[in-house]
Amino acid sequence: MEPDVLGPPYERQTIDLGTDDEGPVVATLVRRRADRPTGRAVLYVHGFVDYFFQTHLADFFAERGWDFYALDLRKYGRSLLPHQTPNFCTDLAEYFPELDAAAKIIREDDGHDILLGMGHSTGGLIVSLWAHARREAGVVDGLFLNSPFFDLNLPWVLRRPGAAAVARLARSAPKRVIRPGLGTVYGQSIHAQHRGEWTFDLEWKPLAGFPVRAGWLAAVRQGQQQLRAGLDIRVPVLLACSTRSFKGMKWHESATLADAVLDVEHMVRWAPRLGRHVTLARFDGGMHDLTLSGPDVRQKVFDEVGRWADAFLGAGPTAPAGQPVPPASRQPAEAADATGV
C-alpha cells in the first residue's frame, strides 16, 4: 500500500490487469483501516462517471470496526490512464478480475472473515453479477446495493427496441458516441461549488459526465438482461433507493430530494430477481447516491445499514464504541418503506 490522494488514513494499492486494445490496464484498491478491527470489511464499488471520494461512508464503517476498501475500476478515477477511453468497457464481466483480486487481498492478505460487497448505481449492477458468478466460491457474505442501475431510465421504446439497435451498432463501432454526456442536474445537486455539499475531482467525475458509447451501453443492457432473467445470489442483499425520481433536464430544487439519475421504480421492480433473500429500504428525500443525501436522510440510511448488517451478516454489534446497539428487530426510524421482497 502507498499513500492515497485523500491523505491519511487512506492508502491505495495498484492492481496490474495486463493490457487490452488500448494498452496497460490497472485498477486501484483504496483502504481505510478501523481503529478497532473486528475481522470485518467492506468492498465498495462506484458507479458510472464516478470514483471513491465519500470519506464519511468509510468513517461510518470504520467507527464500527469494519475495515473499508473501495475499488476504482479500470478506466475510472485513480485507475484512468492517459491513453484510455474514460469509463469504457464492452462487457461488465471485464471488471470481475479486479473484484476477484480485491477480494483476495481483503480475505487472504489482510485476513478478514466477513466481507460485505457494496455497489452504487452501475457498481450495484456489477457487484450483483459478480456475486452471482462467484456464488459457489462464497467471496462475499452480503451485498448492500445503493440505487443500483437495473434498467435504463428511458421511455420503453428506447429501453427495449432502441437499446437493441445500439447493441447491434456496438458490434461494429463500440466506441461510437450515443450521447455526449448525462446532463448537469445531478452533478450540480451534489458539488460544493454549485448546489451541493461535496467536493470531488471534476476531471474524474465531470458534472456533465463522460460520453455514453455504444459498447458500454450494450454491456450494461446485457448485464441488465441477465439480472432481469434472474440471478442466484445466495447471501442476504439490502437494496436501498429513494422514494421518487426527478425527471427534469433543467435545474429544480426538487432534484435534491429525489434520484435525479435513475428511475427508482425499476430498482423496486427487479429487486426480487437478485436472489431469495432481499430486503428493500426506501428513503424519502434520498438522492441518487443515498450517502450524499441531506444529513437527516443519510443518517437514516446509515442507521438502516447498521441494523441490517447486525441482523443478517451474523457479524455482531456494529455500533460505534460507547453507543448502544439498536435491537435487530427494530424498524428503521421514519424510513419511507423497509420491506422484505
Side-chain angles (χ1 to χ4, degrees):
M1 290 280 184
E2 60 184 11
D4 185 59
V5 294
L6 294 173
Y10 293 91
E11 309 167 285
R12 68 179 182 186
Q13 179 174 342
T14 300
I15 299 172
D16 186 351
L17 297 169
T19 61
D20 66 6
D21 63 314
E22 293 186 325
V25 181
V26 300
T28 310
L29 186 64
V30 179
R31 181 177 69 188
R32 189 241 197 265
R33 287 194 180 276
D35 292 333
R36 300 177 296 116
T38 59
R40 293 169 280 177
V42 179
L43 175 58
Y44 171 81
V45 181
H46 56 77
F48 183 59
V49 190
D50 208 356
Y51 73 102
F52 171 66
F53 64 90
Q54 299 89 337
T55 56
H56 65 295
L57 174 61
D59 291 342
F60 165 78
F61 282 104
E63 288 168 1
R64 286 152 178 79
W66 296 70
D67 285 346
F68 184 90
Y69 297 78
L71 186 64
D72 276 14
L73 300 169
R74 64 185 70 195
K75 305 185 184 184
Y76 282 86
R78 298 164 178 81
S79 307
L80 179 61
L81 303 178
H83 59 273
Q84 294 176 327
T85 303
N87 300 188
F88 183 72
C89 76
T90 56
D91 188 331
L92 297 185
E94 291 176 21
Y95 301 120
F96 291 1
E98 52 253 59
L99 285 163
D100 291 340
K104 183 178 183 296
I105 291 168
I106 294 168
R107 284 198 178 274
E108 298 182 15
D109 296 355
D110 290 354
H112 293 89
D113 301 317
I114 294 175
L115 177 57
L116 170 64
M118 178 178 176
H120 167 56
S121 197
T122 307
L125 177 60
I126 293 168
V127 298
S128 297
L129 297 172
W130 175 63
H132 168 77
R134 302 293 186 262
R135 61 192 180 279
E136 299 293 346
V139 293
V140 293
D141 299 285
L143 289 184
F144 168 34
L145 307 179
N146 172 4
S147 304
F149 188 12
F150 284 173
D151 211 339
L152 302 175
N153 188 14
L154 297 168
W156 180 87
V157 70
L158 296 177
R159 290 205 314 273
R160 300 298 183 261
V166 171
R168 291 192 293 271
L169 172 63
R171 298 186 193 111
S172 59
K175 292 183 180 177
R176 177 77 60 84
V177 174
I178 302 300
R179 185 173 174 180
L182 303 176
T184 62
V185 171
Y186 179 60
Q188 289 183 56
S189 73
I190 59 175
H191 198 278
Q193 293 180 1
H194 295 269
R195 305 170 191 270
E197 60 176 299
W198 309 101
T199 300
F200 48 86
D201 191 325
L202 293 175
E203 292 293 320
W204 291 345
K205 185 176 175 65
L207 291 186
F210 292 112
V212 175
R213 299 177 186 274
W216 178 85
L217 190 59
V220 168
R221 175 179 177 269
Q222 182 182 33
Q224 290 173 341
Q225 286 178 320
Q226 184 182 355
L227 175 279
R228 294 195 296 267
L231 303 181
D232 182 21
I233 297 174
R234 298 176 183 176
V235 297
V237 179
L238 172 62
L239 190 155
C241 64
S242 182
T243 57
R244 58 186 180 272
S245 297
F246 175 82
K247 299 289 188 178
M249 295 301 294
K250 294 183 179 180
W251 175 256
H252 190 276
E253 290 298 328
S254 60
T256 64
L257 300 172
D259 191 319
V261 178
L262 298 178
D263 187 331
V264 295
E265 298 308 321
H266 293 160
M267 307 170 200
V268 175
R269 178 181 181 183
W270 300 115
R273 303 297 177 91
L274 290 162
R276 297 182 181 181
H277 192 163
V278 181
T279 301
L280 172 66
R282 305 186 70 177
F283 297 89
D284 190 26
M287 300 177 71
H288 177 53
D289 184 340
L290 291 169
T291 71
L292 302 184
S293 303
D296 291 344
V297 176
R298 66 177 179 261
Q299 185 58 55
K300 292 174 184 176
V301 173
F302 288 152
D303 288 346
E304 179 64 15
V305 172
R307 282 191 289 267
W308 175 85
D310 295 344
F312 294 121
L313 294 190
T318 57
Q323 294 187 16
V325 180
S329 60
R330 179 181 168 190
Q331 293 298 312
E334 301 181 21
D337 181 19
T339 46
V341 296

